[in-house]
Every structure is written in C-alpha cells, then in structure tokens.
Amino acid sequence: MNGTRWVWIAGLIAIGACGVARAQEGAGDVVYVPTPQVVVDAMLDMAKVNAKDYIIDLGSGDGRIVITAAKKYGARGFGVDLDQVLLKRANETAKREGVAERARFVEENLFETDLSKATVITTYLLPEMNEKLRPKILQLKAGTRVVAHDYHMGEWQPDDNETLSVPEKTVGNPGKSYIYLWYVPANAAGQWQIRAPIGGQTLAIDLDLSQHFQMLIGNARINDRAAQVQGARVRGEDVTFWLTVGSGANAVRHEFNGRLQGDTIDGTLRVHAGKKVDQAAFTARRIAPGKLELGSSL
C-alpha cells in the first residue's frame, strides 16, 4: 500500500451517513466515522451556505455534506477521498438525489487538492491534518469560510463555534459534537492614516497594526493624542476596531467598522462621548505594510 495513501486514510475521520464502512474498497483495516445529519445541517448553517457557494469537502466519505448543500441550498462543489467504495456510493447518491451536476466526488489526496475555487471548505479531520492544511487554506481568498467538525486548527482560533448534543454519536466525546468556523482573513497589518470629518471637526488618526491570524494589535494617535486600540480583528474582509481617548467619564470611544479592499478600508465611524453619539463615513489608507503572522507550517 502506498505510504502517503495509508497515512492519509489512517489519519482521516471521513464525513458520511450513518453506519461504518471499511476503507480501501471495503478490504482495508481502517474505518471512517460518520457525521450525524444534525451535525451536517449545523455545519452548513453556521457557514451560511447559499446557492452562490462552491464547497470542497476534504475527506468526503459518502458525500453527505456536498449533497446536502446542493439539495438544500443549491450550492455546487465536490468532495475528495481515497476510498473507492465511498466515492462510488457518494456519486450514486448524488445522481439518485438529482444533484449530480452540482455535487461530484473524486479520488484524490486532499493535500494535493486545488482549493482555489472554494468559498466554503468542510473537514472532519484530526487536528494535525487540519494544521497541515492550514497554510494552504490561509492562501485562499479572504472571506473563504472553513467549517470543521470536532477538531481545531491549532493556534488559529475560530471566529465562531457551537456545541451540539448528539446522543447517537459514540466516538470522540460521545454525545457531543463541536463545530468550528473560520474566515480566511484579509491582510490588515500596516500603518494606516484616517481623516474623518465628524461632529464639526476633522479627526486625524494614525494607526499602526500588526496581525496574528485574524487578531489585530497596535497603537494609535487621534489628533496627536495617544489612543488605546481595542477589539481589533478581521473577519474575512471586514475590519472592526475601536479607539479610546481619555479615561473614566471623560473617555471618548471611536468605533470603526469597515471593509478592506487592497490598501483601503471604507466604512462607518461612530464616536461616543458621554451620551452623545456622532456617526460618519470614513476611509483609511495604508501607507506602509506591517507584520502579518499566520503561524508556522507543519
């Protein structure tokens, strides 16, 4: 047996229907563990799958995730696996359910799969496999959604998560399933300048951000006064942060919510000074690149 093929399957917990099937054309010693339909539905719901999405399921088992996405939401996509029995079953089910044109399944090593068309990636893989895939996933278009059953992405913390009660689940943590969601983050690191007319004045803001996955840290000045950077993060291309000048009853909070495109962030600024709230549009321009950390490759 090919060594890469063995390692891939031995590490894989494939996603499929109820029941347990032998891998390697039904003759191998490795089993795949199915995902209950309630978990499949919750994964697709958390990822907000819709008809415009293209889903790639890494370790697709009998194909339930892609088939459900095609039937329920009109999405398109494919799954990859190394088990020919499961691949045949998945393609037959897609044809029987009338979604073969939108859901297909191919024999392929998931580490070699071209992910560039994906808007949503789904996995039920052990943590070390997720982490090995992580550098490749982080190269995808900002906003690509990744949803995983039970297992995390190491130091890349999820943007959302949910715990489900699943009485029929007997593996992992029996009776419970964990769902994790990530958005591939845009690069927001760098030195930014913001000029924002609001409340009868023009705010001159200098912002310096470094980035660790989707989390941002940095420092800022507003009209030459030091400002505290809080709540700074990227969710796909959406950037959120707030800056606070002063403290206590005199604190003024500036909330920024914008969308990053290239070296520009356009969005809305809300300034809270006591009970007074002013709002205006803002544009931030990146004048120099910054430090972007996306973890180490395994």
Side-chain angles (χ1 to χ4, degrees), residues 7-70:
V7 170
W8 185 85
I9 294 181
L12 174 64
I13 300 181
I15 298 176
C18 294
V20 176
R22 292 284 181 181
Q24 301 304 307
E25 299 184 335
D29 293 329
V30 180
V31 298
Y32 84 98
V33 178
T35 295
Q37 185 64 42
V38 65
V39 179
V40 172
D41 292 338
M43 291 172 71
L44 297 175
D45 184 60
M46 179 176 282
K48 294 181 172 60
V49 170
N50 59 67
K52 295 180 180 179
D53 279 320
Y54 195 94
I55 298 177
I56 298 179
D57 186 13
L58 299 176
S60 53
D62 76 345
R64 176 166 295 192
I65 281 191
V66 181
I67 291 170
T68 300

Side-chain angles (χ1 to χ4, degrees), residues 99-113:
V99 294
E101 292 185 357
R102 297 199 302 274
R104 61 188 178 89
F105 303 90
V106 297
E107 182 180 1
E108 188 171 61
N109 186 313
L110 60 83
F111 294 111
E112 299 172 0
T113 300

Side-chain angles (χ1 to χ4, degrees), residues 1 11-12 15 22 30 56 62 81 93 99 101 120 133-135 145 152 174 176 199 225 253 256 258 262 277:
M1 181 179 290
L12 174 64
I15 298 176
R22 292 284 181 181
V30 180
I56 298 179
D62 76 345
D81 209 300
T93 303
V99 294
E101 292 185 357
V120 178
L133 283 165
R134 192 179 69 197
R145 288 149 282 160
H152 56 74
K176 290 188 181 297
R225 294 184 62 190
R253 176 177 164 123
F256 295 83
V277 180

Side-chain angles (χ1 to χ4, degrees), residues 1-210:
M1 181 179 290
N2 178 278
T4 300
R5 185 181 175 101
W6 172 257
V7 170
W8 185 85
I9 294 181
L12 174 64
I13 300 181
I15 298 176
C18 294
V20 176
R22 292 284 181 181
Q24 301 304 307
E25 299 184 335
D29 293 329
V30 180
V31 298
Y32 84 98
V33 178
T35 295
Q37 185 64 42
V38 65
V39 179
V40 172
D41 292 338
M43 291 172 71
L44 297 175
D45 184 60
M46 179 176 282
K48 294 181 172 60
V49 170
N50 59 67
K52 295 180 180 179
D53 279 320
Y54 195 94
I55 298 177
I56 298 179
D57 186 13
L58 299 176
S60 53
D62 76 345
R64 176 166 295 192
I65 281 191
V66 181
I67 291 170
T68 300
K71 283 190 63 179
K72 189 173 182 179
Y73 300 102
R76 295 179 301 122
F78 67 91
V80 300
D81 209 300
L82 291 178
D83 187 310
Q84 295 178 17
V85 167
L86 294 175
L87 289 167
K88 181 181 179 181
R89 184 189 304 171
N91 281 308
E92 289 175 348
T93 303
K95 184 176 181 180
R96 184 172 63 250
E97 297 293 338
V99 294
E101 292 185 357
R102 297 199 302 274
R104 61 188 178 89
F105 303 90
V106 297
E107 182 180 1
E108 188 171 61
N109 186 313
L110 60 83
F111 294 111
E112 299 172 0
T113 300
D114 180 0
L115 304 179
S116 60
K117 292 177 66 175
T119 59
V120 178
I121 292 173
T122 57
T123 76
Y124 189 6
L125 304 173
L126 295 172
E128 56 266 31
M129 299 184 74
N130 280 341
E131 292 183 51
K132 187 174 180 181
L133 283 165
R134 192 179 69 197
K136 186 175 180 179
I137 290 173
L138 285 164
Q139 294 175 14
L140 298 177
K141 181 180 178 181
T144 301
R145 288 149 282 160
V146 183
V147 60
H149 180 196
D150 271 355
Y151 300 110
H152 56 74
M153 287 273 180
E155 58 183 319
W156 185 15
Q157 296 299 306
D159 291 293
D160 199 0
N161 65 88
E162 183 178 355
T163 301
L164 300 178
S165 176
V166 187
E168 63 268 38
K169 184 168 178 273
T170 59
V171 298
N173 188 355
K176 290 188 181 297
S177 280
Y178 306 95
I179 304 174
Y180 302 100
L181 173 70
W182 298 263
Y183 291 82
V184 174
N187 179 1
Q191 297 177 26
W192 296 85
Q193 285 187 343
I194 306 172
R195 300 295 181 265
I198 188 169
Q201 63 173 321
T202 298
L203 299 180
I205 300 168
D206 296 306
L207 180 65
D208 190 355
L209 296 174
S210 59

